[in-house]
Every structure is written in structure tokens, then in C-alpha cells.
Amino acid sequence: MARKTLIAGNWKMNETYGEAVVLAQEISNGFYDDWVETVDVVVCPPYIDLKPVKTVFEFDKRKVGLSAQNVYWEASGAFTGEISVPMLKEVGCAWCIVGHSERRTLFGETNEDVNKKAKALLAGGLAPIVCVGESLAVRDDGTYLAYVKAQVEAAFAGIDEADARRSVVAYEPIWAIGTGRTATPEQAQEVCAAIRETLAGLYGAEAADAMRVLYGGSMNEGNAALLLAEADIDGGLIGGASLKAASFIQIVKEAL
Ligand code: PGA
């Protein structure tokens, strides 16, 4: 089954409001509208940059999707510092990253939190980009496939097939994030295939075949083509290289 490639730029905690406008404008300037027929392009700016970035793309009539990097599962209330699904929806987000390894390791996010966030997003009509991936210690002790499988099963607990089909999984080995040490295409493919097998176990082969599995971790314009050529890698979640418009645009071109 032909899955549409998805290229998502995770800006992390980078770009002030003004810087975000400049970066969005640079991406918009380099963007060709017919790309959207073959690839979905999404940017994930910090919360405070969502609206100005959306405005830039809207003004230029660019079909660049908007994603948040995190969300809280309650719709409103006394949760100081948090942002809800309805807030993201109204500002124009169609996507949201959940369970990024930085959230898990630095902010104590659990598999259960990830599951609640994914469910809240789906209930609100947004698509979660569910991140999974093992540490170097888990990779080295050889249990990484079981580890990632358990993360996927936990993230999708109680989510039905129709909602699962709208979700995306991103395999991001922690040892490859921001380190310049990209997984080889074979390493990335092995785990992405195992993720699809896990999804097939949950939802059947046909649904799993329709779902997108991304790779993330030091993906850049130099290695994207080989990674994206793998059978079970349907796109990329790009951190560092998404902060330079020329690099991000080049990665999109590699995906066409
Ligand atoms: P990186 O980050 O491309 O800078 O390694 C990827 C990510 O964490 O999403």
C-alpha cells in the first residue's frame, strides 16, 4: 500500500516569536505547492510560535501542516502552565507530538501519560505523532525490539482502529537524537518494521499497512534519501536540520 510520506520539523525549544516568523517565511519561500501531492510537510514550533507561523503559511497559501510538541489531556481547568487540545485546535494545529524522549527523560512523562495525550488528541480530531525509541543501554543489551514494542502497545492501549489509522508513530532511538549519530538505514528499518508488526498485532495487517511510521534522530539532507528508501520508513521527524530552511526544504525534496 502506498503511504504518503510525512516530513515533520520538530523545532523543540528554539525560535523566538520573531525568529519563528523568519524561519516560516524562509520555508514558505522555498516551498513548491505541488509537493503536497506526494508529501505532507509539517512544522512543530513551540506553542507561542504556532499562531504567527500559521499566519505566514496562510498568507502565502502554503499547505504546511502545523503541529504542537506536547499537550495536556484535560480540556480546561486548573492546570497552570499546560495547553489543551481545544487550544491547539483553535490555533490551527492538526497534529501534535506526544511522548518525545526529551519529555519522557527530562520531564518524567510515562507511557500512561503518552496514552492519555494520544487519546485526548484523537478525541479532539488531532493526529498524534507518537514517539518511541530506546536508549543506548537498551540497544546494547539487545532488548530494543521488545522495548519499543511495549512502548507502542502502551501508547495505543484503548485506541480503536479508526483512530489508530489517523495516528503516526515516530521511531527515534535516543542515542541518535541530536548526536549526529544517525541509525543506519538497516537499523532504522529493522525497528520500523517491528513497529508495523506490533501495529498489525493490534489492528490487523491492513490497518498497519496504512499507518505511517517515521524515523527521527540526526536525519539531515545528506542521509534522508537512504533512510526514506527503506520499506517501512514513511518519513522523518527532524530536529536540528529543520531549523535551517534550506536543509529542511532539501529533506522534503529527498522525499519527493
Ligand atoms: P535531531 O532530533 O534531528 O536533532 O536528532 C530529532 C528529534 O528529536 O525529533
Side-chain angles (χ1 to χ4, degrees), residues 171-201:
Y171 169 55
E172 298 207 306
I174 295 170
W175 47 270
I177 296 177
T179 58
R181 185 182 159 190
T182 323
T184 64
E186 296 73 26
Q187 286 173 322
Q189 164 60 21
E190 182 193 29
V191 182
C192 289
I195 289 171
R196 199 174 308 285
E197 208 178 286
T198 304
L199 294 170

Side-chain angles (χ1 to χ4, degrees), residues 216-256:
S218 299
M219 194 190 258
N220 57 42
E221 61 271 47
N223 58 31
L226 281 179
L227 287 159
L228 295 171
E230 293 292 340
D232 288 289
I233 301 178
D234 307 314
L237 183 55
I238 296 116
S242 74
L243 296 172
K244 289 195 203 89
S247 301
F248 186 61
I249 290 286
Q250 190 55 41
I251 295 169
V252 176
K253 285 184 182 166
E254 302 293 341
L256 291 172

